[in-house]
Amino acid sequence: MIVCLSKPVHGSLNPAGSQTITNLIQLVYVSQPFGFDEPTLAGILLDARRCNKRDDVTGALVCRHDIYLQLLEGPEDAVRAAYARICRDDRHAGVKELLNLKIQSRLFASWAMLHDPAKTWIWTEEEIANAVLDRAESAEIIKIFKDLSDRSGKPAVH
């Protein structure tokens, strides 16, 4: 179960008085679902959306019964805290960080957590079982999320 604590403050006020977010990162990880079913997935998404809205973290979760591939983006401290919660979450097994990049803008700025059931997935179950993600280039992994962002239509925060 993911536990959300109080909201941290990130960034600083600019001369106009609005908050400027600094130190944005994208973190991509992979894990294997533990006990994957619709109620478990719904619980993960509910927890992620609640915590992410509070912490100014956005992203997308690509999933199917054999894999979770997730991109988290936002202020570095908040993203690292979200990732630490995921690493402790017993609904994920074998959590492994794939990418950690400094960014200037977000792919999923309007999404607390976009869910994609991997209907357009590029790797087969056999490829995943044979550790294709250990050999995947960073650009290939990010392209999955860029394509998903382009298809998402940039709706209001979910």
Side-chain angles (χ1 to χ4, degrees), residues 28-108:
V28 177
Y29 77 88
V30 63
S31 68
Q32 289 73 49
F34 184 79
F36 182 81
D37 57 21
E38 287 303 316
T40 299
L41 180 58
I44 287 171
L45 291 168
L46 180 68
D47 290 342
R49 289 173 179 148
R50 184 183 68 247
C51 292
N52 290 355
K53 283 179 186 178
R54 182 204 61 213
D55 295 340
D56 192 29
V57 172
T58 57
L61 173 63
V62 178
C63 60
R64 65 181 189 210
H65 72 278
D66 63 329
I67 189 170
Y68 291 136
L69 182 67
Q70 185 170 32
L71 180 143
L72 300 169
E73 57 190 2
E76 184 172 6
D77 291 346
V79 169
R80 291 190 188 286
Y83 180 65
R85 282 192 304 272
I86 290 162
C87 289
R88 294 187 304 268
D89 189 328
D90 62 5
R91 298 172 293 188
H92 297 266
V95 179
K96 180 179 178 184
E97 184 176 312
L98 299 175
L99 299 173
N100 190 328
L101 309 167
K102 299 242 183 242
I103 58 170
Q104 296 297 314
S105 62
R106 302 174 191 233
L107 286 175
F108 300 96

Side-chain angles (χ1 to χ4, degrees), residues 7 10 20 35 37 81 83 90 93 102 105 113 122 149 155:
K7 182 176 182 177
H10 304 282
T20 301
D37 57 21
Y83 180 65
D90 62 5
K102 299 242 183 242
S105 62
M113 187 50 56
I122 64 170
S149 176

Side-chain angles (χ1 to χ4, degrees), residues 106-111 114 145-158:
R106 302 174 191 233
L107 286 175
F108 300 96
S110 297
W111 289 93
L114 174 67
F145 291 103
K146 284 183 180 177
D147 291 348
L148 180 56
S149 176
D150 290 344
R151 288 191 316 268
S152 72
K154 314 286 193 252
V157 174
H158 287 82

